[in-house]
Amino acid sequence: MSHPDYAQHAQHHACLLVLVKGIGGVLKNFNKLWERIQRVNNIKVTDSTGQVRDIWVRYVRDYPVENNDWGDFQTHRRLLGLITLSKFTNQIELNEVCRVHESLKVKYSNTLYDSRAFMFGPGSNLKKPEQEPETYSVYEEKQIEDKSSLNYKQTSEPGDSLSSNDSCAQSTSSSASYVVQEENFTIPSNFKTHAMFYGENEPVSDLEQNVADLINSLFWVVESKRLERSREKLDKVSLLLAPFEKRDFIGLDMDSRNNKKRCMGRVTKNLADLTLQSGLVAESLALYHSAAEILKAVNDWLWLAAAKEGHCAASAILIYPNLRITMPLHRNASLQESSPNKTKPLSLFQPGIDSFRKYKLTSSPLRSSKTSSPINPPSELTPSSSDSVETSSRQSETDNADTESLASSSDIEYQSQKSYITMDIPSIPRQVNNQYLLNGEDIAEKYRKAIIHYSKYQNAGIIETEACFKAARIAVEQNNSLLTSSFLQNVIFINLTLSEQEKIQRFDTLAEIYKEIGFLRKAAFYQRLAATRQVSANNPNPDWQRCYYLMLHSFPGHMLSLDPGQVVQHQIGWPALQIQLLQEVVVASRRMGHPALATRHMTFLLQAMWPHLSRQEHRDLAIQLQAVSAQCEGGPVPLVLETGEVIPPANLTHVPQCLSFTPKPLPLTRTPHSVKCKVQQGPFIFTPIHFGSLERKSKKEEGKMEYLWVEDDICEVQMKLTNPLPFELKVSNMLLLTSGVVFESLPETIILPPDSPTTVNLHGTPKEVGELQILGYSTHTLGVKSNCRLKNLPLSNKFPTSYVIEVIPSLPTMLIETCLSLSGHLNVSGESHSNVTNVSLYNGESTECAIKITNTSAVPIEYLDLAIQSNMDNQLQSKVFQWSNDDVQSQLPILPNEVATIKLKLYAEADFLDLGGVGENLFPNSLTSNYPSRVGSPVPNAQLSLPTQSSNPHTSLSSGLMVNRTSGSFRSSNSQTTSWSAPLSVMPPSRGRQVEAQMIIRYSGGAGKESHCRQSTLQFNLELLPSVSITHWDVLPAEIPTQLYLVLDVTNLTTEEMAFHYTSDKHILIESKESRRVPVPLDRCPFNVTPNKYNDEDTAESKSTSTSSGSLSLELMCSEHITSNVSLRWQLLQSGLRGAASVRGITLSHAMMDIVRMSPLNWEVSVNKQCIKPQEELNCTAGECLALGVSVQNLLSRPLHKLCLSVQFYQDYNNGVLSYKLDNRVATAGNNKVVLSTLTETSKAFHECTVVFLTPGEYKIDIQCSTTEPILEEPVAKEVDNASIIQPCSGEVNHVWRFIPPVAISVTD
Amino acid sequence: MAVCVAVIGKDNSPLYIGGVGNDTNTDNELSRQWLVHTALDALEERLATTNTNTANSASNASRTDLRDLYLGLLYSTDTHKIYGYVTNTRIKLVLVTSSTSPSGSNIRDAEVRTALRRLHALYADAICNPFHLPGEQITSSKFDRQVKNLLLNNV
């Protein structure tokens, strides 16, 4: 015997061996039929004594004839039955099929007892057009049974003749089954088998029945053999021999006592085998035992071993009935998956072997209940079939047998409940008290001994191997793993000359059993060994495919899973071995001709084993991967093998390695802002106060981003990648992996230098509104496409599983260009955030800036809002930047690619009054000192501190430089000093200043305009250069009383020569850095001018303070009058720049105010009845008598009381000294002082006196009018408090009005 | 003749594999790993059975403490014999002897036992290093040297 049968189990000792073979054409449903046949593995037969026999059958697909030779040694090795399944399409094929069947019969003629042929003809519905009954006479069968099988052919001859003769004639009703055949086909004459014909696609409903029929007949043969053997005289038996023993006994004395015993023992053993096969397990035990006793005595080790083994097998069958039930399931492919006992061939790494064991223990009842055991539902028993098998002589027996045995396994529901009971109950209780029954430990021990005995014979190596496997399987059932492994270990030491294929099978079976006991590592080891054998140099026909599958199935044993993520996560097993195995798998899959698999496994190796590989190995493997993937690119899709196994994708996350992954908010210009966002009110941007309840409610989920992305707008994710390989790595087609809304990712290709972190930006466009989840990125490198999910990244603790970003509806984008009209300077601002427009202006200069807005998106801009933010206060700001909002709104909507222009006027607002130093002098800047005439002018309210800009440094600082200062509180704090003055200018005129302002353009449109808008910022850097400054000023009365001169000291602060226009037609040229004094003629300030030209704010403030000082508003009025009437312009001659200047904020002393203001009294002074014009020179001679007439008209709206009109003469020495002591120089006639009790409105008073100048000289006449009535003013002041028109009058109390200028008379001799 | 020594962690991952290169096979290291790796099954099985045995019999409670750390021969191949030893913290020590060499074929059980005990002591010394993280591979060169020494001289 040279062909080991590794699949053998101990229970097969009790089985009848039947060969099932497909011959002829390939049957489509062969496997299905095979399964159905296999299910008929157990029938019950009632024997002649009425005992029910349990007959088991083992079906094989192939059986070497050589093994038949061992049939005497162990009878279960005999092939007893033959079933052929064949297909034919025409007569020739039919003949061929019949021939093959017959030749098979001849091949196994030594042992074959009976056969069946199932033939499948053409056509789907062969409806037995003609019944051509193959006679299956009872007689024939009896013959077969009675005779020994050796001469099967001869015995069947009578039948042959019968069938050929009666081919057309209807034979008796005893035909076994319908013979279905088309008329064209005829069966060759020498075909003497029970054949059944079917259409190819017919459901072979009576298959099971026919098979059971065959078994039944086989049983009776075996039973007869048994009886025959048992009746033999023990002392006359011939010696049974194992095949190799034939030579050994040549020349031995066959009649010796020893030999007799040997014969006896062997026959007993043979009988025991037969007994076991014929279903009498309990009886066989005793026979085995006695056989063993006899053989032991004669030292017939081989047969002793066989007897012991038989003993063990019989015991095992009784003790472990599950063994028998399990067996067919093992071999039954269709049920394999439902059987939990079998580990799934490619199950992933199983963490615990214990669970596996649990399966083993618990699953037995389940298994048995599912088993289809042939029992016989009565309905199946058709009269015809029962008749057919019967013989007249054994009518009763077969009847019984039939009812028991003929079975169909199709209705499992019915059987499942019954089968378990019917099978086991009758057999088990009988043997429990059998004295020869071995218990579990004894079985193992006996098997061990048997194996030792076998090992004494080199030629019994195969028997020994099989015995080891059988013993191991029993040990598995006993749940004794160590015992199993020791039996299996023994297999290795048996030295056999086997073909490569058989060696591989041996390893495979070893692996299978090791797997069953949970020795996954061992199993893996042998699987790998088998795999290497498949392709070893000794193997004449290497099979890479099987090698590959063996390797693949050894993964669990190496603690490898096919999912790289799992391997990376758990990191268990032996890296060195895993790497080796993976490399071999790669080779196998490549040699097998499946480059996709090779790429996949190579990727897996690189990815999963990354931490265990050295740098050099990284490099080598990467290069290998590149080579492999050149044949077939790797993709992130699971690969399905032919066996249905799925190789999950392997993603390279180590190459390149991702160090950081951050979705970026949109760039500032494109960041969406909430439309309804509140303007920052206070200085507190951040509040340290946490509202616990609110915080808790809005618990942020991890990875949720705070910013928004916009539909149809390009978004960005920033990654930092490193290339861990020592060569340049090209990563192409990098994309973002997203879920949620539709996202269009833009592929990116980069080349990474070795070992230096590189920043990569991945872009994409969300195409829908909603929540976008960014799960990771995909790469294409080394020829492998990988989907690198964040959660799978090696540094996965660094990353959330996904980033969630809210996508809002699309918003427009715009391009902003600014164009300064003057310089033509163009500034384009596109994407960049800060777009700076630099403008430099001289104080007072103004320019225009055009802001060109281009809609660069596909969404119309429907909302536009401009705002300025700067470090200036609002008022100043609104003066510097001016635009028309209506103009802006009228240009909306801006359609895509259209342009809108906004005109922005820039004006360099400044203060031109240079209020230099502050000292004792209240009017440091006035020209008073230059005008001696002013010296003596009374300053009645001098104690009232008159504000100047610079007197309070805080003022200028705060009002100018505080950003957006509108706070009333601040204003009120210094209202005392500054409230009256015009909007404060910040800036000392003599120095240049920088103004930084931002124009914030908020715009929106499209679907998202209701909620969000975008914001662009234009930066303006204004440089304000000093142009002119007014350092000193004073007022002079003009030639006509209704006018006055405002005298200004103007300094040109520029570097160019300047033309300074101070009236519409007068100008003066001022050199750079030079100062000039210019007189500006002005109308005097009329009384009834409303001083409150200013906005309400100022009015309110001035009112609040006016109670204390009426003169304040008076001064305000005058200052206002001057400011509004003086129009100063300048032009730089070189550059041609023009600008204006103003005297806003000018402060006036009381003396000045008198000049500025129209007098309330209208003076008319005449000398010798001639009216004096202002500035007129009067001449007279000494001694001449002059008549001086003064008339005063009250221009006020109320009467004046107790006016004192006085005329005084004095001499001005023009050095600041006035001499009033003119007693000996002037003589006056008439009063020089008159008191007017009342001067009503618009009424005139006239006074005349005569004067004679005694000595020549320059004289001046001071004519003045004063009220000497202080009582009246108080009530008046109070009354008029609210009436602004009369207000100035309240200041008239105690006032002195002069006729200005004083009349000057030069007296000559 | 001992050829290889392996220290295997609780989770059956290799902590240390060292051997003396008596046979100058290129796959020396790898084949040793195969040997040791496949021995783990038997080793685990043995551990499991001793545990259940002791658990089943309450009378043997005292024996648990005195349980022999030495597990004996795990399995043998044509060329090698593999012995196992397990510490109380489930660190497995595996010793592979070559049965082909003359000295190795008749090595005595007691010798192996003492060698494994020594190895245990060496291992204990090695992980006494405060900088050694339990569960990490043993990289100590001193340990390596001592183990090699042990292999060459004592067994």
Side-chain angles (χ1 to χ4, degrees):
Chain A
M1 186 161 114
S2 55
H3 302 286
D5 179 7
Y6 298 116
Q8 245 186 62
H9 285 60
Q11 64 271 24
H12 289 154
H13 280 260
C15 289
L16 308 177
L17 193 62
V18 174
L19 177 70
V20 178
K21 208 150 178 124
I23 52 178
V26 178
L27 261 177
K28 269 188 295 184
N29 53 350
F30 179 83
N31 281 332
K32 220 172 122 193
L33 292 170
W34 163 245
E35 282 163 27
R36 282 173 64 186
I37 291 171
Q38 278 203 302
R39 269 181 242 163
V40 195
N41 66 339
N42 174 226
I43 64 166
K44 303 215 185 308
V45 182
T46 313
D47 65 7
S48 48
T49 61
Q51 196 180 4
V52 177
R53 304 276 188 92
D54 229 349
I55 302 303
W56 293 83
V57 190
R58 181 183 180 210
Y59 297 97
V60 289
R61 295 276 294 275
D62 193 23
Y63 199 68
V65 192
E66 296 89 330
N67 288 3
N68 240 353
D69 299 341
W70 288 80
D72 281 340
F73 182 66
Q74 283 176 324
T75 54
H76 73 274
R77 294 182 190 276
R78 283 184 182 163
L79 187 74
L80 302 181
L82 171 69
I83 295 172
T84 57
L85 301 168
S86 52
K87 185 188 160 189
F88 65 94
T89 51
N90 51 38
Q91 183 64 47
I92 301 161
E93 282 186 27
L94 176 63
N95 291 345
E96 176 63 16
V97 163
C98 292
R99 194 192 63 75
V100 172
H101 184 92
E102 288 302 313
S103 71
L104 277 173
K105 274 161 72 175
V106 174
K107 189 175 168 190
Y108 298 105
S109 60
N110 281 343
T111 55
L112 203 64
Y113 293 159
D114 198 1
S115 69
R116 290 288 185 279
F118 293 90
M119 302 206 171
F120 296 88
S124 56
N125 44 1
L126 275 171
K127 278 278 191 269
K128 58 161 181 176
E130 273 177 32
Q131 264 197 352
E132 189 184 341
E134 181 88 2
T135 54
Y136 184 74
S137 68
V138 174
Y139 167 68
E140 184 189 60
E141 190 172 10
K142 257 203 288 188
Q143 271 191 323
I144 296 167
E145 287 172 6
D146 291 339
K147 284 188 161 188
S148 86
S149 64
L150 289 172
N151 243 343
Y152 181 76
K153 247 198 142 179
Q154 287 164 3
T155 57
S156 61
E157 251 160 21
D160 186 13
S161 60
L162 184 69
S163 68
S164 57
N165 292 341
D166 301 345
S167 60
C168 292
Q170 305 303 315
S171 87
T172 57
S173 62
S174 64
S175 62
S177 63
Y178 306 119
V179 178
V180 184
Q181 192 182 13
E182 299 218 18
E183 53 267 75
N184 297 345
F185 300 124
T186 54
I187 299 167
S189 58
N190 60 349
F191 184 66
K192 284 315 305 154
T193 306
H194 194 164
M196 275 68 67
F197 290 88
Y198 303 94
E200 194 185 347
N201 298 323
E202 260 180 71
V204 192
S205 54
D206 55 351
L207 177 77
E208 283 85 0
Q209 193 176 326
N210 281 315
V211 173
D213 196 10
L214 170 73
I215 294 161
N216 193 38
S217 78
L218 291 178
F219 163 72
W220 287 112
V221 182
V222 172
E223 176 67 7
S224 70
K225 290 282 231 179
R226 182 183 76 86
L227 292 171
E228 195 183 319
R229 182 66 82 194
S230 64
R231 281 176 207 132
E232 271 179 1
K233 292 261 168 48
L234 279 178
D235 45 353
K236 285 181 188 167
V237 289
S238 58
L239 182 64
L240 291 167
L241 292 175
F244 68 89
E245 284 181 318
K246 282 179 181 127
R247 270 170 292 137
D248 300 351
F249 290 96
I250 293 170
L252 277 180
D253 176 17
M254 301 303 280
D255 294 329
S256 70
R257 188 165 174 274
N258 209 2
N259 212 27
K260 279 267 170 56
K261 277 216 144 176
R262 191 196 303 265
C263 291
M264 250 168 63
R266 289 189 178 189
V267 167
T268 316
K269 195 258 159 196
N270 188 258
L271 176 62
D273 279 352
L274 287 170
T275 315
L276 185 61
Q277 273 191 298
S278 56
L280 299 167
V281 186
E283 284 82 343
S284 70
L285 285 173
L287 289 171
Y288 276 126
H289 185 255
S290 63
E293 292 294 311
I294 299 166
L295 290 168
K296 198 173 177 183
V298 294
N299 292 343
D300 188 359
W301 302 120
L302 182 68
W303 286 74
L304 172 61
K308 279 185 193 289
E309 192 186 352
H311 198 175
C312 292
S315 304
I317 286 165
L318 291 177
I319 298 177
Y320 311 112
N322 284 335
L323 270 178
R324 290 182 137 180
I325 302 151
T326 319
M327 182 271 296
L329 284 168
H330 272 275
R331 301 166 55 86
N332 194 335
S334 72
L335 286 176
Q336 221 166 40
E337 270 136 56
S338 67
S339 157
N341 188 18
K342 276 285 224 182
T343 43
K344 280 187 184 155
L346 203 59
S347 66
L348 296 181
F349 160 69
Q350 281 181 334
I353 299 161
D354 290 340
S355 60
F356 174 76
R357 291 213 171 102
K358 233 175 275 164
Y359 273 143
K360 225 162 47 179
L361 295 174
T362 57
S363 58
S364 295
L366 182 72
R367 272 186 268 147
S368 50
S369 70
K370 272 199 176 172
T371 315
S372 57
S373 78
I375 50 140
N376 194 10
S379 59
E380 291 273 317
L381 200 66
T382 56
S384 66
S385 66
S386 59
D387 285 348
S388 67
V389 196
E390 286 161 5
T391 63
S392 53
S393 61
R394 294 194 181 171
Q395 181 78 42
S396 62
E397 277 180 30
T398 35
D399 241 342
N400 285 340
D402 256 348
T403 49
E404 285 292 322
S405 64
L406 293 177
S408 151
S409 61
S410 54
D411 38 358
I412 291 176
E413 298 91 348
Y414 175 73
Q415 294 164 6
S416 58
Q417 295 141 3
K418 225 174 155 185
S419 61
Y420 195 67
I421 305 159
T422 51
M423 272 190 303
D424 298 336
I425 298 296
S427 54
I428 287 185
R430 255 193 296 174
Q431 295 105 20
V432 168
N433 43 19
N434 192 311
Q435 54 171 327
Y436 300 115
L437 181 68
L438 303 171
N439 62 20
E441 281 171 33
D442 291 341
I443 291 176
E445 188 51 39
K446 265 221 154 68
Y447 243 121
R448 189 183 299 281
K449 276 184 189 159
I451 291 165
I452 290 168
H453 290 317
Y454 279 138
S455 64
K456 291 172 184 165
Y457 297 88
Q458 205 179 355
N459 289 320
I462 285 167
I463 301 286
E464 185 190 350
T465 308
E466 287 181 9
C468 285
F469 278 118
K470 283 182 262 189
R473 284 184 172 119
I474 290 173
V476 169
E477 189 65 23
Q478 288 174 341
N479 216 5
N480 191 341
S481 306
L482 282 178
L483 193 61
T484 313
S485 77
S486 76
F487 278 127
L488 292 177
Q489 192 62 45
N490 193 43
V491 172
I492 302 302
F493 294 114
I494 300 168
N495 191 11
L496 288 176
T497 47
L498 294 171
S499 68
E500 272 310 300
Q501 208 52 46
E502 281 164 339
K503 277 183 189 162
I504 292 161
Q505 254 176 25
R506 188 171 70 162
F507 289 134
D508 215 9
T509 317
L510 279 172
E512 199 178 303
I513 299 176
Y514 271 125
K515 220 178 242 179
E516 258 181 80
I517 58 171
F519 281 24
L520 293 179
R521 295 182 190 88
K522 274 274 199 211
F525 178 78
Y526 284 114
Q527 266 171 332
R528 184 180 161 270
L529 219 52
T532 47
R533 287 282 181 151
Q534 286 278 13
V535 294
S536 71
N538 300 333
N539 201 340
N541 40 355
D543 187 344
W544 285 101
Q545 180 143 5
R546 293 183 59 185
C547 167
Y548 170 76
Y549 280 111
L550 283 168
M551 295 255 194
L552 198 64
H553 294 168
S554 74
F555 269 33
H558 291 100
M559 305 296 161
L560 267 179
S561 141
L562 286 171
D563 182 13
Q566 206 166 357
V567 176
V568 170
Q569 204 179 354
H570 295 295
Q571 289 293 6
I572 48 169
W574 290 45
L577 302 183
Q578 287 171 342
I579 290 164
Q580 176 69 22
L581 179 73
L582 282 168
Q583 269 173 332
E584 285 164 355
V585 164
V586 170
V587 173
S589 50
R590 207 176 51 209
R591 295 293 294 267
M592 171 171 107
H594 204 322
L597 272 180
T599 310
R600 173 61 49 82
H601 289 303
M602 196 75 211
T603 317
F604 179 96
L605 169 58
L606 202 55
Q607 166 69 16
M609 294 294 130
W610 185 265
H612 305 296
L613 296 168
S614 70
R615 227 175 131 65
Q616 182 60 29
E617 282 170 319
H618 286 157
R619 185 182 161 274
D620 294 347
L621 289 176
I623 289 170
Q624 274 184 49
L625 176 59
Q626 241 168 344
V628 168
S629 62
Q631 288 177 30
C632 182
E633 275 200 348
V637 285
L639 292 175
V640 180
L641 301 182
E642 289 158 26
T643 53
E645 285 149 316
V646 177
I647 313 285
N651 298 310
L652 278 178
T653 57
H654 288 284
V655 183
Q657 197 152 17
C658 177
L659 298 180
S660 74
F661 185 92
T662 342
K664 289 273 165 197
L666 293 173
L668 265 173
T669 47
R670 291 193 282 126
T671 311
H673 298 264
S674 178
V675 164
K676 291 174 191 78
C677 85
K678 276 186 276 177
V679 183
Q680 291 281 333
Q681 283 293 357
F684 300 110
I685 297 165
F686 167 78
T687 170
I689 306 163
H690 288 283
F691 300 101
S693 57
L694 292 174
E695 293 283 306
R696 237 174 281 130
K697 241 180 268 173
S698 59
K699 200 155 211 170
K700 257 185 264 163
E701 53 183 300
E702 198 198 11
K704 174 88 180 170
M705 296 287 112
E706 280 175 351
Y707 44 81
L708 303 166
W709 277 3
V710 178
E711 183 191 349
D712 289 328
D713 206 351
I714 246 178
C715 305
E716 187 179 72
V717 173
Q718 194 173 62
M719 296 175 64
K720 200 176 264 182
L721 297 175
T722 44
N723 169 17
L725 298 173
F727 52 86
E728 256 191 9
L729 182 72
K730 187 186 176 196
V731 184
S732 58
N733 216 11
M734 287 195 76
L735 292 170
L736 286 173
L737 297 178
T738 59
S739 74
V741 301
V742 177
F743 187 80
E744 194 179 274
S745 196
L746 300 176
E748 190 88 20
T749 298
I750 45 159
I751 290 172
L752 294 171
D755 276 328
S756 61
T758 311
T759 305
V760 185
N761 291 327
L762 295 182
H763 297 96
T765 319
K767 290 288 177 194
E768 274 176 21
V769 179
E771 232 174 42
L772 178 74
Q773 282 174 292
I774 302 180
L775 303 173
Y777 60 93
S778 69
T779 58
H780 185 187
T781 186
L782 298 171
V784 177
K785 286 182 190 134
S786 310
N787 285 343
C788 308
R789 291 179 191 278
L790 290 173
K791 60 178 176 200
N792 295 337
L793 289 185
L795 303 163
S796 58
N797 49 348
K798 266 175 69 178
F799 304 104
T801 48
S802 67
Y803 288 97
V804 181
I805 296 166
E806 175 105 30
V807 178
I808 59 162
S810 58
L811 292 173
T813 54
M814 58 162 69
L815 182 80
I816 302 174
E817 293 167 289
T818 51
C819 177
L820 284 172
S821 59
L822 261 185
S823 57
H825 168 70
L826 190 74
N827 205 328
V828 181
S829 108
E831 298 294 299
S832 68
H833 158 231
S834 59
N835 147 44
V836 184
T837 306
N838 289 313
V839 186
S840 62
L841 290 175
Y842 286 104
N843 283 341
E845 189 187 350
S846 69
T847 186
E848 213 171 58
C849 176
I851 301 171
K852 219 167 117 187
I853 293 173
T854 313
N855 185 354
T856 52
S857 68
V859 182
I861 298 172
E862 295 165 62
Y863 162 81
L864 195 63
D865 180 40
L866 306 182
I868 290 276
Q869 260 190 5
S870 71
N871 50 2
M872 299 178 283
D873 72 27
N874 269 355
Q875 252 179 337
L876 184 61
Q877 183 178 290
S878 65
K879 278 189 185 161
V880 176
F881 299 95
Q882 293 163 15
W883 72 89
S884 156
N885 200 36
D886 291 339
D887 181 41
V888 171
Q889 299 304 326
S890 70
Q891 298 193 49
L892 293 180
I894 308 171
L895 296 176
N897 296 323
E898 281 195 4
V899 179
T901 311
I902 298 169
K903 291 223 182 313
L904 179 71
K905 208 179 147 206
L906 301 172
Y907 172 68
E909 170 78 7
D911 235 337
F912 296 91
L913 299 177
D914 191 353
L915 307 168
V918 187
E920 292 295 307
N921 196 339
L922 278 172
F923 298 96
N925 302 97
S926 71
L927 301 171
T928 322
S929 56
N930 295 333
Y931 290 85
S933 60
R934 288 270 81 73
V935 169
S937 61
V939 185
N941 287 336
Q943 70 275 13
L944 192 78
S945 91
L946 283 176
T948 61
Q949 300 303 319
S950 50
S951 68
N952 188 350
H954 177 61
T955 313
S956 60
L957 178 76
S958 58
S959 61
L961 294 176
M962 296 299 275
V963 182
N964 286 340
R965 188 58 54 222
T966 59
S967 75
S969 62
F970 175 77
R971 200 33 96 82
S972 63
S973 70
N974 61 352
S975 63
Q976 194 73 0
T977 52
T978 59
S979 60
W980 58 272
S981 66
L984 299 179
S985 57
V986 210
M987 320 133 172
S990 54
R991 259 173 284 137
R993 287 145 306 123
Q994 289 286 345
V995 174
E996 286 179 13
Q998 286 173 329
M999 172 167 265
I1000 296 162
I1001 305 174
R1002 287 155 67 87
Y1003 60 99
S1004 183
K1009 72 174 170 189
E1010 299 304 324
S1011 53
H1012 291 92
C1013 65
R1014 282 201 162 118
Q1015 192 166 302
S1016 279
T1017 315
L1018 268 177
Q1019 173 89 28
F1020 285 97
N1021 283 346
L1022 285 182
E1023 192 188 11
L1024 301 185
L1025 301 171
S1027 51
V1028 291
S1029 116
I1030 296 163
T1031 48
H1032 299 86
W1033 64 91
D1034 201 350
V1035 283
L1036 288 178
E1039 289 82 357
I1040 41 176
T1042 57
Q1043 279 202 329
L1044 71 127
Y1045 285 111
L1046 178 69
V1047 182
L1048 304 169
D1049 275 359
V1050 180
T1051 311
N1052 175 6
L1053 296 170
T1054 67
T1055 52
E1056 298 172 38
E1057 191 178 19
M1058 171 192 279
F1060 189 82
H1061 298 257
Y1062 52 94
T1063 64
S1064 55
D1065 49 356
K1066 286 183 187 165
H1067 72 271
I1068 187 169
L1069 293 181
I1070 312 174
E1071 284 290 320
S1072 171
K1073 307 292 179 202
E1074 293 223 336
S1075 192
R1076 288 282 182 278
R1077 180 165 295 172
V1078 291
V1080 183
L1082 266 181
D1083 283 337
R1084 295 180 71 167
C1085 178
F1087 265 111
N1088 295 342
V1089 163
T1090 311
N1092 295 328
K1093 268 189 186 171
Y1094 304 104
N1095 51 31
D1096 295 339
E1097 198 180 19
D1098 278 328
T1099 316
E1101 282 162 17
S1102 64
K1103 264 183 192 170
S1104 69
T1105 57
S1106 61
T1107 46
S1108 60
S1109 60
S1111 62
L1112 209 65
S1113 53
L1114 189 68
E1115 193 183 339
L1116 189 66
M1117 190 186 74
C1118 294
S1119 167
E1120 170 63 17
H1121 172 78
I1122 295 172
T1123 309
S1124 58
N1125 284 310
V1126 175
S1127 151
L1128 303 172
R1129 285 173 295 111
W1130 50 261
Q1131 183 180 10
L1132 295 180
L1133 294 179
Q1134 223 169 320
S1135 54
L1137 293 177
R1138 291 160 186 283
S1142 83
V1143 293
R1144 199 177 55 233
I1146 196 164
T1147 52
L1148 301 165
S1149 65
H1150 273 257
M1152 289 169 164
M1153 265 162 50
D1154 284 345
I1155 297 172
V1156 173
R1157 260 187 344 165
M1158 286 281 217
S1159 173
L1161 301 176
N1162 192 17
W1163 299 91
E1164 276 177 36
V1165 178
S1166 60
V1167 175
N1168 293 337
K1169 309 285 184 214
Q1170 277 190 323
C1171 248
I1172 305 172
K1173 291 182 187 80
Q1175 308 294 334
E1176 191 183 6
E1177 281 286 308
L1178 289 175
N1179 289 309
C1180 68
T1181 53
E1184 190 181 339
C1185 180
L1186 294 175
L1188 185 67
V1190 178
S1191 97
V1192 180
Q1193 186 180 10
N1194 183 4
L1195 293 178
L1196 292 171
S1197 51
R1198 60 184 172 94
L1200 290 166
H1201 301 283
K1202 295 196 177 174
L1203 277 176
C1204 175
L1205 180 70
S1206 67
V1207 176
Q1208 256 187 316
F1209 297 90
Y1210 66 97
Q1211 271 190 310
D1212 188 352
Y1213 293 167
N1214 274 346
N1215 58 357
V1217 178
L1218 300 177
S1219 166
Y1220 285 90
K1221 294 185 176 170
L1222 303 176
D1223 296 342
N1224 50 357
R1225 297 194 179 182
V1226 178
T1228 43
N1231 288 334
N1232 62 349
K1233 201 175 251 182
V1234 205
V1235 175
L1236 302 166
S1237 60
T1238 305
L1239 188 65
T1240 58
E1241 301 99 304
T1242 70
S1243 64
K1244 266 189 181 173
F1246 186 76
H1247 171 72
E1248 195 173 36
C1249 63
T1250 311
V1251 62
V1252 176
F1253 296 99
L1254 302 177
T1255 55
E1258 292 285 324
Y1259 297 89
K1260 287 196 174 176
I1261 310 168
D1262 178 26
I1263 305 167
Q1264 62 180 33
C1265 195
S1266 65
T1267 54
T1268 55
E1269 183 193 29
I1271 315 136
L1272 245 168
E1273 62 155 314
E1274 286 298 327
V1276 171
K1278 276 179 186 168
E1279 264 175 44
V1280 298
D1281 217 35
N1282 294 327
S1284 56
I1285 297 175
I1286 321 171
Q1287 213 172 2
C1289 305
S1290 64
E1292 301 304 303
V1293 290
N1294 297 331
H1295 201 16
V1296 178
W1297 293 278
R1298 287 193 173 87
F1299 175 72
I1300 312 171
V1303 182
I1305 299 171
S1306 50
V1307 181
T1308 54
D1309 278 330
Chain B
M1 180 69 208
V3 291
C4 172
V5 148
V7 179
I8 295 143
K10 244 183 294 198
D11 53 350
N12 291 333
S13 60
L15 297 182
Y16 170 84
I17 292 189
V20 283
N22 211 15
D23 39 344
T24 51
N25 197 342
T26 45
D27 295 330
N28 202 354
E29 170 72 20
L30 206 60
S31 63
R32 270 190 223 136
Q33 290 219 19
W34 286 114
L35 280 174
V36 178
H37 182 249
T38 44
L40 281 177
D41 278 321
L43 205 152
E44 282 207 315
E45 185 64 34
R46 237 170 255 236
L47 282 178
T49 47
T50 36
N51 274 5
T52 47
N53 283 349
T54 48
N56 287 347
S57 50
S59 61
N60 289 347
S62 60
R63 217 178 62 185
T64 326
D65 303 334
L66 303 170
R67 182 169 60 93
D68 195 0
L69 302 177
Y70 177 61
L71 294 176
L73 180 67
L74 295 177
Y75 81 106
S76 57
T77 66
D78 294 348
T79 51
H80 294 95
K81 283 184 173 162
I82 293 107
Y83 297 89
Y85 183 95
V86 75
T87 70
N88 285 318
T89 51
R90 294 251 155 173
I91 302 294
K92 289 128 196 158
L93 308 177
V94 175
L95 183 84
V96 182
T97 62
S98 161
S99 46
T100 47
S101 67
S103 62
S105 52
N106 51 7
I107 193 163
R108 281 208 305 276
D109 210 40
E111 286 178 64
V112 178
R113 190 189 293 260
T114 41
L116 281 167
R117 283 218 182 112
R118 278 207 197 122
L119 182 63
H120 189 184
L122 289 181
Y123 168 73
D125 287 347
I127 60 163
C128 281
N129 177 4
F131 297 104
H132 176 78
L133 280 177
E136 294 274 298
Q137 299 222 341
I138 299 169
T139 49
S140 156
S141 57
K142 185 185 170 202
F143 179 72
D144 189 52
R145 207 169 51 241
Q146 285 173 325
V147 167
K148 294 245 162 80
N149 205 24
L150 178 88
L151 287 176
L152 288 172
N153 298 334
N154 294 0
V155 187

